[in-house]
Amino acid sequence: MVALLSAFGLVLAVELPDKTLVATLVLTTRFRGWPVFAGVCVAFAVQCVIAVAFGSVLTLLPDVVLSLVVAAMFGIGSFMLLREGFSKADEAGEDASRTGPSALSFTRSAMTSFGVLFAAEWGDASQLATASLAARIGNPFAVGIGAFSALVVVAGLAVFIGAKLRSRIRPKLIQRCAGFGFAGFAAFALLQLAF
């Protein structure tokens, strides 16, 4: 249960201010909500399986090497989050078409959403966090379920209350906090080498 809750909390914190939330918001303005939600969830499921599999392979490494790899992955995630959190880019992001959801078929809307989110998740901080937790905790199933659940929650928020959520959350602040959290996890993994 600790593995599931750890993965859920970490991935939720990382994904709330992330580009995947914004991408889902934009997709929802162009397509109906349910096809977007379905496509995004399938993309997240595939990416979680990939991340957990990578993390499980890492457990075969010697402890010293594993700690270095986990520290490096969290370090990369920290760098990515802090770079985005301290960038001068517009926090509101670009608005998509304001003409309302498109009447495209469910399948086409879902496939477009899948493609956009599947591509966006490669090398994403949540994918690195999931792989790191799977390697460190050694319970890939619970980590995968926790990470996937957090991603589904984020997708649901984006699809169902996206416009209100975007106006109330300060993505830069959350990215900074998550970045410093990742830096702490990287430091902790390195400290484990000393003990």
Side-chain angles (χ1 to χ4, degrees):
M1 191 60 142
V2 171
L4 190 144
L5 293 175
S6 297
F8 180 85
L10 182 61
V11 172
L12 185 67
V14 168
E15 282 299 313
L16 276 176
D18 196 51
K19 64 185 175 291
T20 52
L21 175 75
V22 175
T24 305
L25 285 168
V26 170
L27 287 165
T28 303
T29 64
R30 295 186 180 186
F31 306 117
R32 291 175 309 209
W34 282 112
V36 171
F37 186 70
V40 165
C41 287
V42 172
F44 285 151
V46 173
Q47 286 291 8
C48 282
V49 169
I50 291 168
V52 166
F54 180 69
S56 297
V57 168
L58 290 177
T59 61
L60 303 174
L61 297 173
D63 287 341
V64 172
V65 176
L66 177 61
S67 290
L68 290 173
V69 170
V70 168
M73 288 193 303
F74 274 122
I76 291 167
S78 174
F79 171 77
M80 290 168 40
L81 287 165
L82 290 173
R83 182 185 63 194
E84 187 71 26
F86 286 104
S87 72
K88 300 292 184 204
D90 179 24
E91 289 188 25
E94 293 288 323
D95 284 337
S97 167
R98 296 182 182 269
T99 59
S102 171
L104 291 175
S105 73
F106 183 95
T107 304
R108 185 167 177 197
S109 300
M111 292 299 289
T112 301
S113 300
F114 171 86
V116 168
L117 269 293
F118 185 75
E121 280 296 298
W122 281 106
D124 193 56
S126 63
Q127 191 179 43
L128 295 171
T130 303
S132 298
L133 285 173
R136 179 55 58 200
I137 295 175
N139 189 343
F141 182 75
V143 169
I145 295 296
F148 177 71
S149 299
L151 291 166
V152 169
V153 167
V154 170
L157 287 172
V159 170
F160 296 113
I161 57 171
K164 293 177 186 177
L165 186 65
R166 272 179 75 184
S167 66
R168 293 185 181 173
I169 287 186
R170 296 182 49 108
K172 297 291 184 189
L173 178 62
I174 296 173
Q175 286 170 328
R176 291 172 190 166
C177 292
F180 286 122
F182 266 43
F185 288 131
F188 180 73
L190 290 174
L191 282 175
Q192 287 184 324
L193 292 173
F195 299 105

